[in-house]
PDB file of all heavy atoms in Angstrom:
ATOM      1  N   THR A 132      72.741 123.246 114.560  1.00 98.00           N
ATOM      2  CA  THR A 132      71.927 122.819 115.711  1.00 98.00           C
ATOM      3  C   THR A 132      70.470 122.557 115.264  1.00 98.00           C
ATOM      4  O   THR A 132      69.858 121.512 115.650  1.00 98.00           O
ATOM      5  CB  THR A 132      71.928 123.889 116.810  1.00 98.00           C
ATOM      6  OG1 THR A 132      73.318 124.184 117.136  1.00 98.00           O
ATOM      7  CG2 THR A 132      71.194 123.442 118.079  1.00 98.00           C
ATOM      8  N   SER A 142      67.572 117.318 120.871  1.00 94.00           N
ATOM      9  CA  SER A 142      68.793 116.526 121.193  1.00 94.00           C
ATOM     10  C   SER A 142      70.024 117.385 121.144  1.00 94.00           C
ATOM     11  O   SER A 142      71.134 116.900 121.428  1.00 94.00           O
ATOM     12  CB  SER A 142      68.939 115.373 120.192  1.00 94.00           C
ATOM     13  OG  SER A 142      69.220 115.869 118.916  1.00 94.00           O
ATOM     14  N   CYS A 143      69.923 118.628 120.762  1.00 95.00           N
ATOM     15  CA  CYS A 143      71.113 119.437 120.503  1.00 95.00           C
ATOM     16  C   CYS A 143      70.889 120.855 120.964  1.00 95.00           C
ATOM     17  O   CYS A 143      69.780 121.404 120.853  1.00 95.00           O
ATOM     18  CB  CYS A 143      71.354 119.396 118.967  1.00 95.00           C
ATOM     19  SG  CYS A 143      72.887 120.162 118.487  1.00 95.00           S
ATOM     20  N   HIS A 144      71.982 121.487 121.468  1.00 95.00           N
ATOM     21  CA  HIS A 144      71.819 122.792 122.060  1.00 95.00           C
ATOM     22  C   HIS A 144      72.984 123.708 121.731  1.00 95.00           C
ATOM     23  O   HIS A 144      74.133 123.336 121.924  1.00 95.00           O
ATOM     24  CB  HIS A 144      71.692 122.625 123.601  1.00 95.00           C
ATOM     25  CG  HIS A 144      71.677 123.913 124.341  1.00 95.00           C
ATOM     26  ND1 HIS A 144      70.614 124.764 124.316  1.00 95.00           N
ATOM     27  CD2 HIS A 144      72.645 124.519 125.120  1.00 95.00           C
ATOM     28  CE1 HIS A 144      70.875 125.833 125.061  1.00 95.00           C
ATOM     29  NE2 HIS A 144      72.103 125.738 125.556  1.00 95.00           N
ATOM     30  N   PHE A 145      72.646 124.881 121.235  1.00 95.00           N
ATOM     31  CA  PHE A 145      73.689 125.892 121.046  1.00 95.00           C
ATOM     32  C   PHE A 145      73.368 127.047 121.977  1.00 95.00           C
ATOM     33  O   PHE A 145      72.388 127.764 121.825  1.00 95.00           O
ATOM     34  CB  PHE A 145      73.721 126.375 119.576  1.00 95.00           C
ATOM     35  CG  PHE A 145      74.556 127.618 119.398  1.00 95.00           C
ATOM     36  CD1 PHE A 145      75.830 127.673 119.897  1.00 95.00           C
ATOM     37  CD2 PHE A 145      74.056 128.699 118.708  1.00 95.00           C
ATOM     38  CE1 PHE A 145      76.604 128.824 119.743  1.00 95.00           C
ATOM     39  CE2 PHE A 145      74.793 129.860 118.544  1.00 95.00           C
ATOM     40  CZ  PHE A 145      76.094 129.923 119.059  1.00 95.00           C
ATOM     41  N   GLY A 146      74.214 127.220 122.996  1.00 92.00           N
ATOM     42  CA  GLY A 146      73.941 128.228 123.980  1.00 92.00           C
ATOM     43  C   GLY A 146      74.756 129.498 123.862  1.00 92.00           C
ATOM     44  O   GLY A 146      74.526 130.463 124.596  1.00 92.00           O
ATOM     45  N   ASP A 148      77.674 130.111 124.779  1.00 88.00           N
ATOM     46  CA  ASP A 148      78.285 130.392 126.090  1.00 88.00           C
ATOM     47  C   ASP A 148      79.730 130.788 125.932  1.00 88.00           C
ATOM     48  O   ASP A 148      80.382 130.409 124.976  1.00 88.00           O
ATOM     49  CB  ASP A 148      78.192 129.154 126.960  1.00 88.00           C
ATOM     50  CG  ASP A 148      76.784 128.655 127.155  1.00 88.00           C
ATOM     51  OD1 ASP A 148      75.991 129.374 127.756  1.00 88.00           O
ATOM     52  OD2 ASP A 148      76.467 127.564 126.619  1.00 88.00           O
ATOM     53  N   VAL A 178      74.783 119.724 130.318  1.00 97.00           N
ATOM     54  CA  VAL A 178      74.141 119.513 129.021  1.00 97.00           C
ATOM     55  C   VAL A 178      74.305 118.028 128.604  1.00 97.00           C
ATOM     56  O   VAL A 178      73.361 117.348 128.208  1.00 97.00           O
ATOM     57  CB  VAL A 178      74.759 120.438 127.937  1.00 97.00           C
ATOM     58  CG1 VAL A 178      74.101 120.199 126.575  1.00 97.00           C
ATOM     59  CG2 VAL A 178      74.637 121.889 128.357  1.00 97.00           C
ATOM     60  N   VAL A 183      72.118 115.672 125.820  1.00 97.00           N
ATOM     61  CA  VAL A 183      71.985 116.665 124.762  1.00 97.00           C
ATOM     62  C   VAL A 183      73.384 116.920 124.190  1.00 97.00           C
ATOM     63  O   VAL A 183      74.400 116.896 124.935  1.00 97.00           O
ATOM     64  CB  VAL A 183      71.335 117.966 125.349  1.00 97.00           C
ATOM     65  CG1 VAL A 183      71.469 119.114 124.357  1.00 97.00           C
ATOM     66  CG2 VAL A 183      69.869 117.707 125.646  1.00 97.00           C
ATOM     67  N   ILE A 184      73.450 117.189 122.882  1.00 98.00           N
ATOM     68  CA  ILE A 184      74.703 117.456 122.222  1.00 98.00           C
ATOM     69  C   ILE A 184      74.983 118.960 122.235  1.00 98.00           C
ATOM     70  O   ILE A 184      74.281 119.717 121.583  1.00 98.00           O
ATOM     71  CB  ILE A 184      74.644 116.977 120.724  1.00 98.00           C
ATOM     72  CG1 ILE A 184      74.249 115.510 120.642  1.00 98.00           C
ATOM     73  CG2 ILE A 184      75.945 117.297 119.992  1.00 98.00           C
ATOM     74  CD1 ILE A 184      73.837 115.058 119.229  1.00 98.00           C
ATOM     75  N   PRO A 185      76.034 119.387 122.952  1.00 98.00           N
ATOM     76  CA  PRO A 185      76.317 120.802 122.931  1.00 98.00           C
ATOM     77  C   PRO A 185      77.044 121.232 121.642  1.00 98.00           C
ATOM     78  O   PRO A 185      77.965 120.508 121.225  1.00 98.00           O
ATOM     79  CB  PRO A 185      77.198 121.044 124.165  1.00 98.00           C
ATOM     80  CG  PRO A 185      77.649 119.714 124.619  1.00 98.00           C
ATOM     81  CD  PRO A 185      76.908 118.636 123.865  1.00 98.00           C
ATOM     82  N   VAL A 186      76.647 122.340 121.049  1.00 98.00           N
ATOM     83  CA  VAL A 186      77.352 122.879 119.892  1.00 98.00           C
ATOM     84  C   VAL A 186      78.066 124.160 120.341  1.00 98.00           C
ATOM     85  O   VAL A 186      77.460 125.018 120.991  1.00 98.00           O
ATOM     86  CB  VAL A 186      76.375 123.204 118.732  1.00 98.00           C
ATOM     87  CG1 VAL A 186      77.088 123.879 117.591  1.00 98.00           C
ATOM     88  CG2 VAL A 186      75.703 121.904 118.239  1.00 98.00           C
TER      89      VAL A 186
END
Side-chain angles (χ1 to χ4, degrees):
T132 305
S142 67
C143 187
H144 173 72
F145 167 51
D148 303 293
V178 180
V183 168
I184 303 166
V186 175

